[in-house]
Amino acid sequence: MAQQLQTAELNKKKSLSRGKKTLTAIEKTCRSNLESNYTEKIEELEKSFNYHKNSDHYWSEPEQSILYGTPLYEVASPSQKIALNHLNWFLAYHNISAGETEVITYNQVTSSVFAAIGGYETISQELDIETEQERSHIHAFHKIGFLTTRTLLGKDAFKAPLKGKSYKLKRRGLANGSKSSDSQHLYLSLKNLPWSEYRDKTLGFIPKGMLSGSKQYYSQYLRELEQKNQSIPGSAGGFWGLGLAPDSRLRFLTFNWGGSPFMACQYYALRYMANMGVKNIEFTIYKYFQKLQKKGEFIPSPTAIYYYHLLDEAFHTTTSMFLGRDLYKELSKPTVYEKLVANWTIYLIQKNFHNGISGASPVLMSKDNFSTIDFVYKILK
């Protein structure tokens, strides 16, 4: 019996390692990433950033400005048009940093899945490197975005949107004894209950059952959260929240992505789509940087950050491509359940992911246009 179990385990390992062409590609990517200095360049630019030294220059092509192409933009003064261009940088990286915050979570969710396969530890190493790079990117985006927005719009730019006031009025009405439905009272009561632990256990029940044959690969990151009774992270407002929201659905998918090698690979097919979305935003600025450099003109720090961020993310895009497109072919074939969930997530992205108000911002990616309206309102004030 023991010998049969050993033979079965050996056959399973063989089926999970039919070839390692992808591993060779990832090793090359990891080596090139380690040898590059793009993250360090971004950190240097962040530390030395001074808005006033960069305030008289466009940070990207004028077309990449908030309200570009609208009558409001046409009547703006030259200095106001530059300000709208700078605020577009803030919006772009506000969205990108939200997406990268989510990427940090899912890098950790999937990293230990690949490590558990055996022989693919380099993938985990590359994902760990990318996670640290994302933290540096986010820090730079937040600092420069904050200083820029505070200078141009003042402290009011960071106040809660009008939607929050509307919500408070509704709550105040209930407190003053106004009539409400039983469902409203029930919602207000349940809102204060510590139910996240039960929610996550419920959301994880189906994936864990359907992926029980891959339980030896279950994410160590998720396991540790469960041991500490901590909630599975939801959306940070980035690509995953926009395309796969609500949070309950995203948490359900998180259990799947951390539940088997195939599903971990499938997450990177989605991440590749997000990577290409960022490239679509940044490539024009990349060319703008090169144009300024060729002419020997002043290059604003935020423009340079665009440039180095695109180069840094090129490694991440390559990782996504090889994991999402190739690695699963070297592993055991997916089950019917895994195929169903994989195709469902692609459908959700295609169905749900779209731009916000046309003309408001060339880079704004939002399902909820209210946040766009609030930001434009502050600009007009």
Side-chain angles (χ1 to χ4, degrees):
M1 183 66 178
Q3 187 174 2
Q4 289 177 336
L5 289 173
Q6 289 176 352
T7 302
E9 185 64 26
L10 181 61
N11 290 335
K12 193 162 193 176
K13 285 184 177 180
K14 286 182 179 179
S15 68
L16 279 167
S17 189
R18 295 180 197 149
K20 292 189 177 181
K21 293 181 180 179
T22 302
L23 183 60
T24 302
I26 294 294
E27 287 174 345
K28 183 178 179 181
T29 301
C30 185
R31 194 161 50 248
S32 299
N33 197 358
L34 284 170
E35 292 171 357
S36 73
N37 65 344
Y38 305 135
T39 304
E40 289 76 9
K41 292 281 189 182
I42 291 173
E43 291 171 346
E44 289 171 10
L45 289 164
E46 175 211 337
K47 289 177 182 177
S48 62
F49 177 74
N50 181 304
Y51 178 74
H52 295 291
K53 291 181 179 179
N54 296 269
S55 61
D56 295 331
H57 304 268
Y58 279 94
W59 294 352
S60 59
E61 296 289 357
E63 291 84 355
Q64 291 181 291
S65 303
I66 289 184
L67 301 178
Y68 182 85
T70 68
L72 287 170
Y73 186 86
E74 294 303 320
V75 299
S77 67
S79 62
Q80 288 173 334
K81 287 179 178 178
I82 289 177
L84 291 172
N85 181 262
H86 296 174
L87 289 172
N88 195 69
W89 190 100
F90 162 75
L91 269 188
Y93 280 113
H94 175 75
N95 289 311
I96 290 172
S97 63
E100 293 194 342
T101 299
E102 294 171 345
V103 165
I104 287 173
T105 296
Y106 299 119
N107 281 1
Q108 294 175 94
V109 168
T110 57
S111 177
S112 60
V113 177
F114 295 121
I117 296 174
Y120 286 87
E121 291 81 6
T122 303
I123 295 176
S124 297
Q125 182 185 358
E126 170 60 20
L127 294 178
D128 290 343
I129 293 169
E130 291 181 9
T131 295
E132 291 306 311
Q133 291 173 331
E134 300 291 25
R135 290 194 174 104
S136 291
H137 298 168
I138 292 168
H139 193 275
F141 301 157
H142 282 180
K143 177 184 173 181
I144 294 175
F146 173 79
L147 293 175
T148 299
T149 309
R150 187 182 65 180
T151 302
L152 293 174
L153 299 182
K155 294 180 180 179
D156 286 346
F158 304 102
K159 289 183 179 179
L162 298 175
K163 182 168 61 174
K165 296 179 182 178
S166 174
Y167 174 72
K168 288 177 181 178
L169 287 173
K170 290 179 182 177
R171 289 295 300 271
R172 191 178 298 118
L174 291 173
N176 291 336
S178 61
K179 293 182 180 180
S180 63
S181 65
D182 290 340
S183 61
Q184 285 175 312
H185 282 301
L186 180 61
Y187 168 74
L188 293 175
S189 299
L190 290 176
K191 196 174 188 314
N192 297 319
L193 290 177
W195 64 286
S196 60
E197 179 184 349
Y198 303 102
R199 174 202 60 205
D200 287 349
K201 285 183 178 179
T202 302
L203 292 171
F205 178 77
I206 295 176
K208 286 181 179 178
M210 299 304 293
L211 300 173
S212 59
S214 299
K215 59 185 178 182
Q216 67 270 39
Y217 306 109
Y218 187 65
S219 170
Q220 183 62 27
Y221 176 78
L222 294 179
R223 199 186 308 277
E224 289 174 0
L225 287 180
E226 291 168 352
Q227 290 171 352
K228 297 174 183 177
N229 290 328
Q230 293 181 355
S231 177
I232 304 299
S235 168
F239 184 84
W240 312 117
L242 295 175
L244 299 172
D247 272 358
S248 58
R249 185 186 296 166
L250 192 55
R251 288 188 171 96
F252 167 76
L253 290 171
T254 301
F255 282 109
N256 283 278
W257 293 329
S260 74
F262 174 79
M263 289 308 303
C265 289
Q266 194 271 334
Y267 160 74
Y268 286 92
L270 297 172
R271 199 183 85 163
Y272 183 72
M273 296 171 70
N275 294 145
M276 296 309 294
V278 172
K279 281 182 177 291
N280 189 47
I281 294 169
E282 291 188 318
F283 186 68
T284 303
I285 298 93
Y286 175 87
K287 300 293 288 184
Y288 182 69
F289 175 97
Q290 291 182 320
K291 182 174 74 173
L292 295 178
Q293 190 178 52
K294 187 176 181 179
K295 292 181 177 180
E297 296 181 5
F298 175 78
I299 300 176
S301 295
T303 306
I305 285 177
Y306 263 124
Y307 178 83
Y308 291 116
H309 183 254
L310 184 140
L311 295 176
D312 228 358
E313 287 293 325
F315 297 118
H316 305 190
T317 304
T318 302
T319 301
S320 297
M321 180 180 69
F322 284 123
L323 296 184
R325 186 191 68 183
D326 299 328
L327 181 60
Y328 77 93
K329 299 173 185 176
E330 302 175 10
L331 309 178
S332 294
K333 292 184 178 180
T335 64
V336 173
Y337 170 79
E338 289 175 317
K339 289 180 181 179
L340 177 65
V341 174
N343 287 324
W344 178 55
T345 56
I346 296 295
Y347 165 75
L348 289 175
I349 289 292
Q350 292 174 330
K351 176 176 179 290
N352 295 334
F353 192 72
H354 57 81
N355 289 328
I357 295 175
S358 177
S361 170
V363 302
L364 191 60
M365 302 175 287
S366 175
K367 288 184 68 179
D368 178 11
N369 283 326
F370 188 90
S371 58
T372 313
I373 294 171
D374 179 71
F375 192 74
V376 172
Y377 173 67
K378 290 172 180 175
I379 291 174
L380 295 178
K381 285 180 67 180

